[in-house]
Amino acid sequence: MHSGPVANDIPWQTIKGKALEELLFELLGAMGGVDVTWRTGGVGDGASDGGRDIEAAFIHPTPDGDVEREKWWIEVKGRVKSLEPIAVKSAVLNAAGNESVDVLVIASNSVFTNPTRDWVEGWQRTHRRPRVRLWDHTVLDKLVQKNPVVSARVIPDIIQGKERLALLVEQFEQVGRIPLEEDLDYFWSNQHWVTEPREVSCLTYAEVVLGDLTQRPWGAILDDSHAIDIAIQALVALPMTMVRTKVLAGAKATSASAYLMQCALPNISANGVSMLLTNPFEILDGGWDKLSRSPDGWQRHIIRPIWGRLKGELLDACSRDCVRISVDPGMILGDDPRGPRYWRRFNPELPVKDDRSIIIEYNEKPCAVGFDLQGRQCPLFEADGMEDSSATIQEIEEVSRVISYRRNKPDGRFLELSKGGPLNHRIDQMVNEVLDSPEDYL
């Protein structure tokens, strides 16, 4: 994880022309400008824009209760190297010919040379109007930091590729700002840019909040060699972002971390997973000594909820086509909308949702994944091994096996094992039996 102001990672050398003008237009409005106008024909240097790319006005109160209106001209100069002095002098002399201009801003994604600044200071000593302000990329950095909402909306749209993704990840880790739906669409269509676990972690959290991991399964796009790093994102980096920024939703972060761990599990040995679940800080470089020496609090408040969510989701999903076990309503993945639970949205007199779940296991039936369950429960249903200690090696191996089996054979063994008709008919029949005599099951 990185530190430092988010704006410092903006690749200013790539933001010029229309992109730079768009950013200035939005910033002026966020700074309190009124009547902000983007001059037609003023896109890019050399256009016929009348000496300014953007016009704006700022209204200031006076001591006697009145207001004064300042007219601003903003000339935007995108450059790869420092802005040439003649461009500044031309802009100043042009604005000086219009007595209505109070402030001239010359904004550049680059820098102004010392001789240019000296010339402006000398000119200003003999000319009251307009007041000239030079905004180089360091000034723009400060404005971006002071106006994060505008910057978060505009900058990703005018930066593309890896630089756009790097900025989104930095904003996510530093201030908890999550990518937008259009960001998710863009990078799912351009998956070749998504190459690092940090990026996958950021996009996964955004997907949990905004989208659907079944449509864009971010954790599945990296190769198996990233498994350890993905697990570290799940158990340390993403929870740490939640704790530090105090912005991310705890339940969403737990869900995202559980998904990332599900993706990593089949590609890490059971012993390796056990070590990570016990103390993930032992394999990290840097200042993790305190947490590494005493990981109990992190394990209790972070890792155990993640592991519980991970197993609960698998139980919920795996039971949907299992002839041995049935869960109703879905414990983790969502409630069944049938009946009064949904309609209470429109009638508060209806009973409040009962958050208890009914789990039915037929011990004589075989497992859909192929486990030998003679004399024992489904491993996803068994008491959580992390209530008092780390998950056992057998538990980790079996959870990993469920994922490995299902990702290659998502229908399990239902078609070969079920003989009682369609799945929905079987579940409906079981639910009706439970509702007729709930005291036998609760």
Side-chain angles (χ1 to χ4, degrees):
M1 292 182 288
H2 299 277
S3 61
V6 171
N8 287 346
D9 281 345
I10 297 175
W12 289 109
Q13 69 278 7
T14 68
I15 303 179
K16 49 190 176 181
K18 185 177 180 179
L20 186 57
E21 292 180 17
E22 181 179 355
L23 176 59
L24 266 295
F25 180 87
E26 296 290 345
L27 282 173
L28 289 164
M31 293 163 58
V34 297
D35 298 333
V36 183
T37 304
W38 198 344
R39 299 276 295 179
T40 57
V43 177
D45 294 330
S48 179
D49 56 15
R52 69 279 197 194
D53 298 298
I54 303 171
E55 286 185 3
F58 285 87
I59 298 175
H60 306 286
T62 62
D64 60 358
D66 202 351
V67 294
E68 290 182 347
R69 182 185 179 96
E70 285 186 344
K71 184 173 183 178
W72 286 39
W73 278 11
I74 298 87
E75 185 74 1
V76 182
K77 303 290 186 183
R79 296 291 188 273
V80 175
K81 298 181 180 180
S82 60
L83 185 61
E84 63 275 13
I86 188 62
V88 174
K89 295 177 183 179
S90 176
V92 171
L93 296 176
N94 184 68
N98 190 320
E99 295 183 354
S100 67
V101 180
D102 298 296
V103 177
L104 170 67
V105 174
I106 304 175
S108 177
N109 63 330
S110 183
V111 296
F112 300 96
T113 64
N114 289 333
T116 297
R117 293 182 181 277
D118 293 341
W119 183 89
V120 170
E121 290 180 5
W123 185 90
Q124 195 78 80
R125 283 194 292 267
T126 57
H127 298 80
R128 289 182 57 250
R129 296 165 67 98
R131 298 189 299 278
V132 181
R133 299 181 181 179
L134 302 179
W135 289 1
D136 60 11
H137 66 81
T138 58
V139 176
L140 295 179
D141 263 343
K142 294 176 182 178
L143 294 177
V144 164
Q145 293 183 68
K146 290 180 179 178
N147 299 276
V149 175
V150 168
S151 304
R153 184 178 71 248
V154 175
I155 292 176
D157 289 339
I158 61 180
I159 303 176
Q160 300 301 313
K162 197 69 172 180
E163 291 174 333
R164 173 175 175 176
L165 184 55
L167 179 62
L168 290 173
V169 172
E170 196 72 16
Q171 290 177 327
F172 175 73
E173 292 179 347
Q174 295 303 316
V175 298
R177 184 259 172 183
I178 66 172
L180 304 176
E181 181 73 28
E182 49 264 38
D183 297 318
L184 298 177
D185 286 337
Y186 174 80
F187 285 107
W188 189 252
S189 299
N190 296 275
Q191 294 179 31
H192 58 281
W193 294 117
V194 185
T195 59
E196 300 178 20
R198 288 175 61 222
E199 298 162 351
V200 167
S201 178
C202 169
L203 296 170
T204 294
Y205 180 85
E207 197 70 59
V208 168
V209 174
L210 300 173
D212 183 355
L213 284 169
T214 63
Q215 298 297 321
R216 291 180 292 238
W218 298 101
I221 69 176
L222 296 185
D223 61 54
D224 297 348
S225 65
H226 291 91
I228 293 290
D229 291 329
I230 287 291
I232 290 298
Q233 286 292 321
L235 300 178
V236 177
L238 183 54
M240 193 65 73
T241 297
M242 178 190 68
V243 171
R244 184 181 60 253
T245 65
K246 298 180 175 61
V247 173
L248 307 188
K252 301 295 185 183
T254 297
S255 180
S257 289
Y259 166 71
L260 293 174
M261 277 300 296
Q262 289 168 343
C263 294
L265 269 177
N267 303 307
I268 307 174
S269 70
N271 286 329
V273 173
S274 178
M275 180 184 70
L276 289 170
L277 294 176
T278 302
N279 187 355
F281 305 102
E282 284 187 339
I283 69 170
L284 296 180
D285 298 327
W288 301 98
D289 292 346
K290 183 176 181 181
L291 284 170
S292 182
R293 289 193 302 270
S294 180
D296 294 344
W298 192 263
Q299 188 184 83
R300 182 170 61 255
H301 297 295
I302 301 296
I303 295 179
R304 291 180 190 174
I306 291 172
W307 186 252
R309 173 84 190 196
L310 182 156
K311 288 185 63 179
E313 284 188 1
L314 293 177
L315 173 62
D316 197 357
C318 201
S319 67
R320 296 302 172 97
D321 60 1
C322 179
V323 297
R324 179 185 177 91
I325 193 167
S326 180
V327 179
D328 186 85
M331 289 178 58
I332 300 295
L333 297 178
D335 193 10
D336 189 333
R338 293 172 295 182
R341 290 193 180 100
Y342 180 85
W343 300 112
R344 192 178 187 277
R345 300 181 185 190
F346 314 105
N347 180 2
E349 299 302 321
L350 292 175
V352 177
K353 171 187 173 183
D354 188 341
D355 59 3
R356 293 175 296 178
S357 294
I358 301 171
I359 302 176
I360 304 171
E361 184 167 12
Y362 294 93
N363 293 329
E364 72 278 6
K365 297 289 186 179
C367 169
V369 176
F371 288 122
D372 181 3
L373 299 180
Q374 289 291 330
R376 55 174 294 204
Q377 291 180 316
C378 166
L380 299 178
F381 181 37
E382 288 176 331
D384 187 355
M386 293 191 70
E387 290 180 357
D388 300 312
S389 61
S390 297
T392 65
I393 296 297
Q394 180 180 355
E395 180 182 359
I396 293 169
E397 289 176 339
E398 291 177 337
V399 170
S400 179
R401 179 178 167 184
V402 171
I403 299 170
S404 298
Y405 185 96
R406 286 289 194 172
R407 69 181 180 183
N408 296 317
K409 194 175 181 181
D411 292 332
R413 302 169 63 208
F414 176 69
L415 294 179
E416 68 180 84
L417 295 177
S418 62
K419 299 179 181 179
L423 175 62
N424 287 341
H425 174 73
R426 180 180 64 82
I427 292 180
D428 289 341
Q429 185 178 27
M430 292 170 60
V431 171
N432 289 334
E433 292 175 359
V434 172
L435 294 177
D436 288 341
S437 56
E439 64 278 0
D440 294 338
Y441 297 92
L442 298 177

